[in-house]
Amino acid sequence: MTTSQSQPAVEIRDLHKSFGPLEVLKGIDFEVGHGEVVCVIGPSGSGKSTLLRCVNLLEEPTAGRIWVNGTEMTDPDVEIDSVRRGIGMVFQSFNLFPHLTVLDNLTIAQRRVLRRGRAESERVARANLERVGLSDKAGAFPAQLSGGQQQRVAIARSLSMDPKLMLFDEPTSALDPELVGDVLTVMRKLAEDGMTMMVVTHEMAFARDVADRVVFMDGGVVVEQGPPQEVLGAPRHERTRSFLSRVLDPTHVAQLGQPDEAAEPPAAPGLPADDRHQL
Amino acid sequence: MKLRRRQRERLSLWLQYLAFVAVIAVVVLAADWGRLREAFFRVDIIESMFPTIITVALRNTILYTLGAFAFGLVFGTVLALMRLSRVAPYRWVATAYIELFRGLPALLVLFLVGYGIPIAFPEREIPGGVFGSITIGLGLTAAAYMAETIRAGIQAVPKGQMEAARTLGMSHFTAMRTIVIPQAFRIVIPPLTNELILLTKDSSLAYVLGVTAQTIEVTKFGRDTLNDRVNATPLLVAGLTYLIITLPLSQVVRRLELRYAKAR
């Protein structure tokens, strides 16, 4: 495995993915640099989750190549289990192991996969629980936690494997609105600590404030990408504009849904000044 | 006269209680208690059955049941995993086995193990005598049932659990063993309890293997005593003895389910 800093953390070339006759990804070219935070946005069905799931090969690409930290994921002989150790993933539905305590959720893979001893893995686990602000929940079962707490445990579980890249698949979409903030705060801290992150999200405020780059996907292709102030503040494509206006101002979709009469982007879809979490 | 709603409801309730009491009264008055006691409740016969019915018969019933259950559980889990395997021949073999053994009477399989195989291979012997034969004979059938139950349990574990485990770098096998199967077994505790209770009762089929005084189980012990004393009391005692197993079992399982409810 060659892990040189000259290569990007994630490199995707001409990625195609079909489910039966349905082509979900229609040729994606895409890179994530080391330490970069990339937010992928787009309407549901645009293929953004599928793209993310292709990166760690939860979905097998139909065509194209993917490298993560210099290892080709699409090589048929790739040692998938060992590459995945370096790629954390956080799911929309948390996917904590309900039969294990929070602490065991964080230690089981360390012990079975990394072969760390009990003391060592518990030390790492507790450090990561501390990081997500849940030190006091080590002995709890997932079902005893709120959604926001579960998702933070899931993040800590991934971090316990010392990943070099973290994938987030709509990490706050299943949460009650008042619990979203805690999870986003943890993710922001992670970004500030220099973690390489690829985040599929509907949280535009998070994308604006934390992302180094925002990628807008629609219909299985990358429509546009760039710094958040460009993509979110002054989108160049009509599809991006109409998506943003639907997300940011859902009660006025009726008018905005019409072909834009004014040439100017609909008030450059005013990102709300406050930090409220949309949708 | 038209009754109001509450009056109608009260009247209907009273009639139902009255019917119940009437039936009980008829049974109590009509029954010949003397003859019933003579036929089913001879205290001297009850006393003569103790302690052997507990120390030998019940002990053997429990041993046969646990033997068959353990065999069925291990073999059934293997069959369930084979049914879910990516290797097609494994799936075929497991499906064929399950379809075959679910369709065979437990008694026939027991004859097969107890007599068929010894005749076919007279130089070999099934280890463990009656215990070994009943473990295998009942276990073969139980495995077929349990395999389907366990397969359903494995499939009831959300797909995200396997995905999360694989994402953490676990192999398919490790993820299955440490994440999916433990959850599947929590799901299938109630149906597996049913299977255990069925096996408790099926262990009475051991008599066809020709049991001795040492290997006798509860039903055969009851029947032998009935032959001896020409009285039905032993059957009542044997029947109640089964409840010593099944009633606490239900309690234990209820506790178990309650404990796991926290971790679901």
Side-chain angles (χ1 to χ4, degrees), chain B residues 56-196:
Chain B
V56 178
L58 181 62
R59 180 176 152 274
N60 282 332
T61 291
I62 291 174
L63 280 181
Y64 298 160
T65 305
L66 290 182
F69 187 76
F71 185 94
L73 195 63
V74 172
F75 190 32
T77 305
V78 172
L79 284 171
L81 292 175
M82 284 172 72
R83 279 214 56 170
L84 296 169
S85 168
R86 286 169 55 193
V87 183
Y90 283 173
R91 292 200 302 271
W92 301 335
V93 169
T95 307
Y97 179 91
I98 290 165
E99 292 301 331
L100 176 66
F101 276 82
R102 278 200 306 191
L104 295 180
L107 191 56
L108 187 142
V109 179
L110 213 50
F111 277 131
L112 190 72
V113 172
Y115 299 108
I117 291 179
I119 289 171
F121 305 100
E123 73 284 2
R124 296 272 182 95
E125 198 177 302
I126 292 174
V130 175
F131 175 76
S133 300
I134 193 121
T135 291
I136 296 169
L138 292 181
L140 286 173
T141 309
Y145 283 102
M146 290 199 229
E148 283 298 87
T149 305
I150 294 166
R151 178 185 61 83
I154 289 172
Q155 287 177 325
V157 176
K159 199 169 69 104
Q161 292 290 313
M162 177 57 96
E163 284 185 354
R166 295 304 304 273
T167 304
L168 290 167
M170 287 189 199
S171 65
H172 180 87
F173 179 77
T174 305
M176 207 66 177
R177 193 167 55 87
T178 63
I179 304 299
V180 176
I181 290 182
Q183 292 183 55
F185 272 101
R186 280 161 170 74
I187 295 172
V188 298
I189 283 174
L192 284 189
T193 310
N194 263 343
E195 189 59 37
L196 184 57

Side-chain angles (χ1 to χ4, degrees), chain A residues 17-26 45 62:
Chain A
K17 173 67 185 173
S18 301
F19 293 104
L22 182 70
E23 191 173 27
V24 179
L25 298 178
K26 300 171 181 168
T62 311

